Amino acid sequence: MKKIYGQELILDLIDCNPKIIRSKKKILEYLNKICDLLKIKKYGKPVIKRFGENTAWDKGYSFFQFITGSSISGHFLESENIAYINIFFCKLFDHKIAINFTKKFFKAKKIKNRVLIR
């Protein structure tokens, strides 16, 4: 039997609510809620920075949150109202719960996802 080292959920959220993806406060709220929902322990404070001030194609917040065993990261493309989020955890987790919660939180009209077992 192959040993499992973790699971990664890759999310592309299309047509998100512009106010939510432009709010550092809401991004922090998302990180707190997704960690609670998946019973993942945060390690330290997240880094949430806004980038691309001079170019429209990459303007938006990026974030990184260490978690016990790995990380949650993401970038928001404001010009298209798109979010790219990765959740990598050293244990298996219910990715369907994470997908549904994330889509609902950012009010995305469409979501693409991939699950990798490591």
Side-chain angles (χ1 to χ4, degrees):
M1 184 170 150
K2 182 182 172 188
K3 187 171 182 176
I4 295 174
Y5 291 94
Q7 178 178 342
E8 183 170 12
L9 175 60
I10 302 165
L11 299 171
D12 298 347
L13 295 97
I14 313 300
D15 228 352
C16 297
N17 180 300
K19 289 181 181 178
I20 296 171
I21 68 168
R22 287 167 176 78
S23 169
K24 186 175 183 178
K25 184 179 176 182
K26 293 300 281 184
I27 294 166
L28 179 59
E29 180 185 337
Y30 169 76
L31 286 169
N32 289 330
K33 287 184 175 182
I34 194 71
C35 287
D36 288 346
L37 186 65
L38 298 176
K39 296 176 178 55
I40 294 173
K41 184 178 178 186
K42 292 180 288 181
Y43 185 80
K45 293 182 179 183
V47 175
I48 304 172
K49 299 283 184 184
R50 197 154 190 271
F51 292 96
E53 293 297 319
N54 297 320
T55 57
W57 69 270
D58 68 344
K59 184 188 233 177
Y61 278 102
S62 289
F63 68 83
F64 189 86
Q65 172 69 64
F66 283 107
I67 57 176
T68 303
S70 200
S71 63
I72 301 173
S73 62
H75 181 72
F76 302 92
L77 183 58
E78 291 180 2
S79 64
E80 304 291 328
N81 294 319
I82 294 174
Y84 302 104
I85 297 174
N86 289 48
I87 302 171
F88 180 47
F89 191 39
C90 63
K91 299 176 184 173
L92 297 179
F93 60 92
D94 191 333
H95 63 274
K96 290 179 184 175
I97 288 174
I99 292 166
N100 292 332
F101 172 77
T102 302
K103 182 179 181 188
K104 189 175 184 179
F105 186 90
F106 291 106
K107 298 182 180 174
K109 293 187 177 147
K110 184 177 177 184
I111 190 167
K112 297 178 187 176
N113 70 83
R114 284 179 277 160
V115 178
L116 304 174
I117 302 300
R118 303 266 173 136

